[in-house]
Amino acid sequence: MSEAYIVAAVRTAGGRRQGRLSGWHPVDLAAQVLNALVDRTGVDPSLLDDVILGCVSQAGEQSTNVARAAVLASKLPQTVPATTIDRQCGSSQQALHFAAQAVMSGTQDIVIAGGVESMSRVPMGLPHWLPKKNGYGDYISPGILVHYPNAVFSQFDGAEMLVDKYNLSKSDIDAFALASHQKAITATREGYFDNEILPVAVKTADDDSQDKPSELHRVDEGIRFDATLDSISQVKLIQEGGKISAAAASQICDGASGIMVVNERGLKALGVKPLARIHHISVLGDDPVIMLEGPIPATKRALQKTGLTLDEIDLYEVNEAFASIPMAWLQALDANPDKLNIHGGAIALGHPLGATGTKLMTTLVSALQRTQGRYGLQAVCEGGGMANVTIVERL
C-alpha cells in the first residue's frame, strides 16, 4: 500500500463574526485556498484527482456541494471533481482522512482536502433550526428516542458534564482560556503563523464595493491581545450554575483551510519535498449525550493501533471547542500540557467548524517543522459523540 504525504498546507487567518472576512462568499474564500495550494506546489491543476471539503452548515451560500462550487470559482479546471462532507467539527479532518485513504489505495494520486465555514453568513445550526421552525421536522427521530429517551443532545451540556466528571475548577478553566490567548499572542508576534496563513483581502459585510483596494487579513482576529485573568473570569457563564463562560469556549469564526495530499506517484509528478507523512488515521463513536469526550477513547485506541506512547508524540492539537475538552483529555491521558496547542487554540484563534480540522493540521505541521519534532497528534470532538484522530510524522 502506498504512503500518504502532506506536501502543502494553508489556512486563512480567522475572522470574527461580522468581522474582516464576513464580506467573503464562502465559495470564493474556499477557492482562494485551492488556488494557494496549486501555487505553493506548482502542480498542473489538471492533475488533481479530487477536492474534498468539510462544511457543517450546508445551507444557503454553503449548500449544493460547496466544494464543487469552490472548484468552479477557482483556477482549477472544471474537470476536477469535488465533494462536501459533514462530520461536524471534524469535517475537514475527515476530508483529510478520505484523501489519505484515496492516495494510499492508489485509486487517486493527488487530492486536496480542506474545509470552509462562514459563520457570519450561514449561522451555526441553520440547517437544523430553520427547517424545524418552518414545519419541516427535526433530525431527532422516533428511533433515536427509543435508544436515548429524554436525552438532550447539547454541546453546552456536554461541556459542563466534562467539568463535573473531571472535577475541573472555574479558576483553572479561566486560566486555560487565558493561556490560549497568551500562546496565540506569542505565536503571532514571533511570526510562527506567517508561513501557514494565506493573506486575503479584508471584506466586511457592509462593504459597499468588493472591488476597491483593501488591506490584507493576516492576523487571527479573535486573539484578545489585552486579555487578563480578571477580564476572562468576569465573562458571563454560558449556563446558570455552570463553570464555562463564552471566554472559555471556541469563538465563532469565518475561515477556510486546505492541505494537498499525495502518494509516491504524486510526489514524482510534483517534484516537491513532502512536509509530513500521515502515520495514522482513525475515527471513533462515543456517548452522544456527553458528546465531547470522544477524543479520549479515540486517542487511546489510536495509540494502541500504532504502538506509540503519548510520550513519543512531540506535539498535540486537541480542539478547544470548550476548555473542558482538552483539560479532560490532559487529565485522562496524563499528557504533558507543554506539548498541547502550543500556539493557542480555538478559544483564541476561532473554530470555523468545517474548516477547523485542516486548519489545526496546518498549524500542527508548521509547528513540527519549527520545533523539529517528529510526531504530532490531532484529536477533534464532534457533534453526535465522535472523534477523529490523526498522527503525522514530520519529514
Side-chain angles (χ1 to χ4, degrees):
M1 181 178 290
S2 296
E3 298 280 9
Y5 301 97
I6 293 172
V7 294
V10 69
R11 68 176 181 92
T12 64
R16 294 179 66 182
R17 179 166 51 182
Q18 305 306 325
R20 291 161 66 87
L21 293 182
S22 60
W24 276 94
H25 193 296
V27 167
D28 293 336
L29 191 61
Q32 294 293 307
V33 167
L34 301 183
N35 290 342
L37 290 169
V38 169
D39 291 343
R40 289 190 175 203
T41 58
V43 65
D44 176 349
S46 67
L47 296 179
L48 290 168
D49 291 303
D50 207 354
V51 171
I52 309 170
L53 297 185
C55 184
V56 174
S57 295
Q58 295 184 35
E61 293 180 357
Q62 296 176 169
S63 68
T64 322
N65 193 1
V66 68
R68 177 58 174 168
V71 166
L72 299 179
S74 75
K75 65 172 65 175
L76 277 59
Q78 64 184 13
T79 52
V80 178
T83 192
T84 309
I85 63 170
D86 173 11
R87 201 187 285 278
Q88 297 293 280
C89 297
S91 293
S92 55
Q93 187 174 4
Q94 184 60 60
L96 177 61
H97 287 196
F98 284 154
Q101 289 168 337
V103 302
M104 290 167 69
S105 71
T107 56
Q108 296 177 332
D109 298 325
I110 307 173
V111 180
I112 288 177
V116 65
E117 202 84 33
S118 177
M119 299 180 75
S120 294
R121 300 169 75 93
V122 186
M124 183 171 61
L126 181 70
H128 168 224
W129 61 256
L130 185 61
K132 185 177 180 180
K133 179 180 178 181
N134 288 277
Y136 289 98
D138 187 64
Y139 79 94
I140 299 177
S141 72
I144 291 176
L145 294 175
V146 169
H147 297 286
Y148 300 95
N150 304 314
V152 176
F153 300 114
S154 164
Q155 60 177 327
F156 303 105
D157 288 354
E160 291 290 352
M161 289 178 188
L162 287 176
V163 170
D164 294 339
K165 181 171 180 178
Y166 292 91
N167 194 29
L168 306 176
S169 70
K170 172 71 162 57
S171 59
D172 285 346
I173 290 168
D174 290 341
F176 186 95
L178 176 62
S180 183
H181 285 281
Q182 291 173 330
K183 289 185 284 188
I185 291 167
T186 298
T188 299
R189 288 177 173 166
E190 295 296 323
Y192 298 156
F193 292 142
D194 289 354
N195 190 54
E196 69 188 60
I197 287 179
L198 168 68
V200 296
V202 173
K203 293 185 181 183
T204 59
D206 58 358
D207 280 349
D208 55 6
S209 172
Q210 299 298 313
D211 297 321
K212 63 184 180 183
S214 176
E215 65 178 305
L216 293 177
H217 181 53
R218 299 175 181 270
V219 176
D220 293 287
E221 196 177 3
I223 302 172
R224 306 283 188 180
F225 287 87
D226 60 350
T228 65
L229 191 57
D230 183 61
S231 65
I232 286 174
S233 66
Q234 295 189 43
V235 175
K236 183 180 178 181
L237 295 172
I238 294 174
Q239 293 187 340
E240 185 176 350
K243 295 180 181 178
I244 298 176
S245 71
S250 56
Q251 294 187 37
I252 288 174
C253 183
D254 303 331
S257 61
I259 290 175
M260 190 177 293
V261 183
V262 306
N263 56 20
E264 288 84 356
R265 285 196 301 268
L267 279 180
K268 185 176 181 180
L270 290 175
V272 298
K273 181 180 178 181
L275 301 173
R277 179 181 67 88
I278 297 176
H279 183 72
H280 170 83
I281 54 175
S282 61
V283 63
L284 183 68
D286 196 48
D287 183 346
V289 178
I290 195 168
M291 190 180 291
L292 309 176
E293 195 176 20
I296 295 171
T299 299
K300 290 179 179 178
R301 191 178 72 158
L303 294 173
Q304 182 181 34
K305 282 179 171 288
T306 59
L308 291 170
T309 66
L310 207 54
D311 288 340
E312 293 176 280
I313 307 295
D314 296 286
L315 296 176
Y316 324 131
E317 282 287 337
V318 180
N319 190 35
E320 296 174 1
F322 299 89
S324 56
I325 298 162
M327 291 177 73
W329 186 90
L330 284 170
Q331 184 185 133
L333 295 168
D334 193 25
N336 183 349
D338 293 336
K339 297 180 177 183
L340 175 71
N341 301 352
I342 65 167
H343 294 160
I347 290 171
L349 301 170
H351 177 18
L353 301 185
T356 289
T358 43
K359 172 183 178 292
L360 293 183
M361 183 54 67
T362 295
T363 297
L364 179 58
V365 169
S366 176
L368 285 171
Q369 293 285 331
R370 183 180 68 81
T371 62
Q372 295 293 287
R374 182 179 181 185
Y375 288 115
L377 180 147
Q378 175 179 310
V380 173
C381 63
E382 299 153 357
M386 299 177 289
N388 280 74
V389 173
T390 315
I391 300 174
V392 295
E393 180 183 18
R394 180 185 63 84
L395 297 175

